[in-house]
Amino acid sequence: MATDKEITATQPEIAVSSSSEKNSSDFDSIRNLKQAEGEAYASGGDTRYYEPIDSYEGKHRWDPKADWTDKEEKHVIRKLDMRICSWACLMFFALQLDRGNINQALSDNMLNDLGLNTNQYNYGQSIFYLCFLCAELPSQMISKKLGPDNWIPIQMVCWSIVAICQCRLTGESSFYACRALLGLIEGGFIPDVILYLSYFYKSKELPIRLSFFWASYITTQIVSAFLALGILKLRGYQGWEGWRWLFALEGILTALIGVASWFYLPPSPTQTASYFRGKNGWFSEREEVIMVNRILRDDPSKGDMHNRQGLSLKLLWKAVCDYDLWPIYLLGFTWTLPTHTITAYLTLILRSLGFNTFNTNLLTIPASVLCLIQLIFWTWFSERGVNSRFFIILICQIWMLPLIIALAVLPGDYSAWSRYALLVMCVGFPYVHAIIVAITSRNAGSVRTRTVGSALYNMAVQASSIISSNVYREEDKPLYRKGNRVLIGIVAWNFVLIVGTKAYYVWRNKSRDKIWNAMSDEEKRHYLATTTDEGNKRLDFRFAH
């Protein structure tokens, strides 16, 4: 970056006009510049080979000669955090409030009121996660065509209506139906938001923003526990159980957030002007220049599509067949299994230990607080401390192994508080989800693959949630010894998978470095001008690990 003194001298050159206003000699000089060093691509190629397409929404702000100070960039990032990231966190709060309040409903004897047992609850949760999984890719396809700024609010209002309808559950059939509808509508929300955030943030900035995103998920667990303490006391009012009021009132709140999101979300950094956001938008022309160019220098593939461009079935299939992302999908299928299993049954286990409804909801809060702290710290540390993402992911499994072994072997008459402490440590584990999601987005190498890859990774996570909902069985309660032995085996498998994935990406980068660094400038220009390789298959692309 230039210093403040240097930027003053070059200020007049930074204002960028539309591409139609630039003469051909200006463009020739720009396209002959060397591509800036970015996070995703190796340096050395001419800028002309990294130019965004004409229909890219920020093309009129693209200028490889643009420069800015660190102070200016930090100011822009702060505005993005306040305007974009904070609202994404609020929307995730709405998702988790409607998705996770079933745990508080369980503490209010919802299963007994509906005449359901543990296995029927498992089936309902499996239906939810299966529908959530099946909706991921279709939702991403719709989002890419309509734009996340349009599709996300529609999702939010629709799932809020279904969430409210849960207050009228009558038994097994209605329970299954509502879980299925919630899964179908909520599925795709998370990768939709991840794609949306990638329009505004660089590769190295995304993990910590995603940690804020998932921090809102954990914060929701804390807030919802306090909300439940009050709302569940309405049991008996108007002849309703407390959990019915919980579904109704929290569903209304999330619907209001969904309506507000329709008017609030801008399509892109250069499209913030509107009746509700102001006729001049949120950013000045110079700030738009900084935002567009810092994003494209970091990852030029973000200029390959515009934000209302859908994916054809051919492009979809091509993205699905990107084998370089398959190790991450496999990791998504297994790394969360141990903690998701315990989290899903936390309130039921606490009730079985003798805690009442009030104390059960209160006792879930320390685990959520611990998980929140670990999420933010380890995400930050993965980028600023060791800059080794898969090392941090491995720490997550190292943390879980002794805790699950203890749960599997402790005698049945062991202190309830000691067992509770182990459960808190399991649920409050190093939550590395933001790191893996950011790796998926970063290693995709193109908007097309990023769109599909985010959905496929989340599908793998939801598939793992289906399994985690069935590890603890009715006949194995209350200690779930068989289930915990299964979880020990899964943790051991995760050790092997994480190390293997890290080694794979290191090998891929070294193989490409050997070829790319041996090429002359002329050979690099020839490759970039003639190659049919795309995205992360290009010789100048480097994987994050």
Side-chain angles (χ1 to χ4, degrees):
M1 284 301 144
T3 64
D4 289 332
K5 186 175 181 179
E6 291 170 334
I7 201 66
T8 302
T10 59
Q11 184 81 11
E13 297 181 331
I14 297 172
V16 179
S17 58
S18 65
S19 59
S20 62
E21 295 173 338
K22 292 180 178 177
N23 59 47
S24 60
S25 62
D26 287 337
F27 261 123
D28 286 341
S29 64
I30 288 174
R31 288 165 173 160
N32 286 328
L33 293 173
K34 293 298 181 184
Q35 172 68 7
E37 182 74 39
E39 173 71 7
Y41 285 82
S43 60
D46 291 353
T47 296
R48 73 180 71 191
Y49 303 117
Y50 301 91
E51 183 179 350
I53 61 173
D54 290 338
S55 59
Y56 171 62
E57 60 274 6
K59 179 64 181 288
H60 61 297
R61 300 294 188 222
W62 176 72
D63 183 3
K65 293 191 296 184
D67 203 357
W68 54 86
T69 65
D70 289 339
K71 182 178 179 180
E72 286 180 300
E73 185 170 13
K74 289 177 181 177
H75 175 71
V76 167
I77 294 172
R78 283 195 298 270
K79 288 186 72 172
L80 288 172
D81 288 342
M82 291 296 296
R83 299 278 190 173
I84 301 299
C85 186
S86 61
W87 196 268
C89 293
L90 179 63
M91 293 189 298
F92 202 0
F93 169 85
L95 172 75
Q96 187 55 29
L97 196 63
D98 282 339
R99 185 172 65 165
N101 57 10
I102 191 171
N103 292 321
Q104 282 80 41
L106 290 177
S107 71
D108 194 43
N109 296 316
M110 185 188 82
L111 296 185
N112 292 336
D113 291 337
L114 294 176
L116 304 176
N117 59 35
T118 302
N119 287 345
Q120 289 170 316
Y121 167 70
N122 288 346
Y123 298 146
Q125 288 300 86
S126 296
I127 290 170
F128 169 80
Y129 288 121
L130 181 61
C131 292
F132 199 100
L133 182 155
C134 292
E136 295 276 3
L137 269 179
S139 178
Q140 279 281 270
M141 298 286 282
I142 296 171
S143 179
K144 193 66 187 73
K145 183 66 177 177
L146 299 181
D149 55 300
N150 288 326
W151 178 237
I152 291 172
I154 293 173
Q155 285 179 287
M156 295 179 69
V157 173
C158 290
W159 87 52
S160 297
I161 293 171
V162 177
I164 294 170
C165 290
Q166 289 181 112
C167 71
R168 305 298 295 176
L169 291 177
T170 57
E172 183 178 7
S173 298
S174 57
F175 175 64
Y176 291 160
C178 279
R179 300 316 291 172
L181 286 173
L182 275 178
L184 286 172
I185 300 170
E186 291 178 350
F189 170 83
I190 294 174
D192 290 343
V193 176
I194 294 168
L195 175 66
Y196 183 68
L197 289 176
S198 72
Y199 294 162
F200 298 89
Y201 291 103
K202 293 162 61 175
S203 302
K204 275 205 167 185
E205 295 164 354
L206 193 57
I208 193 65
R209 271 73 196 177
L210 290 177
S211 75
F212 298 154
F213 185 56
W214 265 279
S216 67
Y217 154 73
I218 299 169
T219 303
T220 307
Q221 295 176 329
I222 300 171
V223 173
S224 62
F226 282 113
L227 289 175
L229 291 177
I231 296 175
L232 293 179
K233 289 182 179 179
L234 291 173
R235 173 175 277 268
Y237 183 71
Q238 297 294 325
W240 275 17
E241 295 86 349
W243 57 266
R244 295 188 188 274
W245 286 109
L246 186 75
F247 286 138
L249 296 177
E250 292 185 349
I252 292 171
L253 174 61
T254 58
L256 294 175
I257 296 174
V259 172
S261 298
W262 174 266
F263 300 105
Y264 184 85
L265 294 178
S268 76
T270 60
Q271 297 171 303
T272 59
S274 75
Y275 179 80
F276 297 97
R277 295 185 294 269
K279 66 177 182 178
N280 295 323
W282 293 342
F283 306 104
S284 67
E285 179 178 320
R286 175 161 175 77
E287 288 172 332
E288 290 183 357
V289 169
I290 294 173
M291 285 189 291
V292 168
N293 286 283
R294 73 189 204 93
I295 289 294
L296 293 182
R297 290 179 193 180
D298 175 69
D299 187 351
S301 70
K302 292 182 180 180
D304 291 345
M305 298 180 76
H306 65 79
N307 60 3
R308 293 288 191 274
Q309 184 176 346
L311 293 176
S312 66
L313 291 178
K314 182 180 179 180
L315 291 177
L316 171 63
W317 178 248
K318 191 172 184 179
V320 170
C321 294
D322 187 348
Y323 55 83
D324 281 315
L325 292 181
W326 290 355
I328 299 179
Y329 303 153
L330 187 58
L331 184 60
F333 184 65
T334 61
W335 84 269
T336 60
L337 269 172
T339 188
H340 272 187
T341 299
I342 296 170
T343 302
Y345 285 84
L346 181 60
T347 53
L348 289 177
I349 294 174
L350 291 178
R351 290 303 303 271
S352 72
L353 292 176
F355 298 107
N356 61 29
T357 299
F358 179 88
N359 288 333
T360 293
N361 283 291
L362 206 58
L363 288 172
T364 62
I365 295 174
S368 298
V369 172
L370 178 59
C371 188
L372 174 63
I373 294 171
Q374 299 229 59
L375 165 66
I376 295 175
F377 171 76
W378 288 113
T379 304
W380 170 85
F381 190 70
S382 71
E383 298 290 342
R384 303 290 182 86
V386 297
N387 194 27
S388 179
R389 297 141 174 107
F390 282 94
F391 172 72
I392 305 302
I393 298 170
L394 185 62
I395 287 178
C396 157
Q397 302 301 311
I398 294 173
W399 175 284
M400 290 296 296
L401 184 59
L403 298 174
I404 297 177
I405 291 175
L407 288 174
V409 301
L410 282 179
D413 58 353
Y414 208 70
S415 164
W417 284 106
S418 297
R419 196 174 295 277
Y420 165 71
L422 289 173
L423 293 170
V424 167
M425 296 292 284
C426 286
V427 176
F429 77 126
Y431 193 55
V432 296
H433 196 37
I435 299 174
I436 304 178
V437 169
I439 291 174
T440 307
S441 177
R442 160 67 175 76
N443 286 354
S446 68
V447 176
R448 175 195 71 238
T449 308
R450 183 172 296 114
T451 301
V452 178
S454 296
L456 290 177
Y457 169 75
N458 211 46
M459 288 173 68
V461 173
Q462 300 312 318
S464 101
S465 297
I466 296 174
I467 297 175
S468 67
S469 297
N470 291 278
V471 173
Y472 287 171
R473 306 295 295 173
E474 178 81 14
E475 61 274 11
D476 195 25
K477 72 178 189 181
L479 299 179
Y480 301 110
R481 296 200 183 280
K482 290 181 182 178
N484 286 324
R485 286 196 291 270
V486 170
L487 296 182
I488 292 172
I490 293 171
V491 171
W493 158 253
N494 286 338
F495 271 79
V496 176
L497 180 58
I498 292 167
V499 173
T501 303
K502 167 81 172 180
Y504 174 75
Y505 286 131
V506 169
W507 169 74
R508 290 285 278 161
N509 284 349
K510 285 185 175 180
S511 299
R512 291 179 179 182
D513 279 337
K514 185 176 180 180
I515 299 172
W516 183 257
N517 294 335
M519 296 169 68
S520 65
D521 287 346
E522 183 60 36
E523 287 173 328
K524 290 176 181 177
R525 280 193 291 269
H526 177 74
Y527 169 80
L528 294 173
T530 61
T531 184
T532 57
D533 299 334
E534 297 179 344
N536 59 18
K537 298 299 179 286
R538 289 169 49 139
L539 280 177
D540 55 338
F541 182 86
R542 299 296 179 267
F543 293 98
H545 55 79

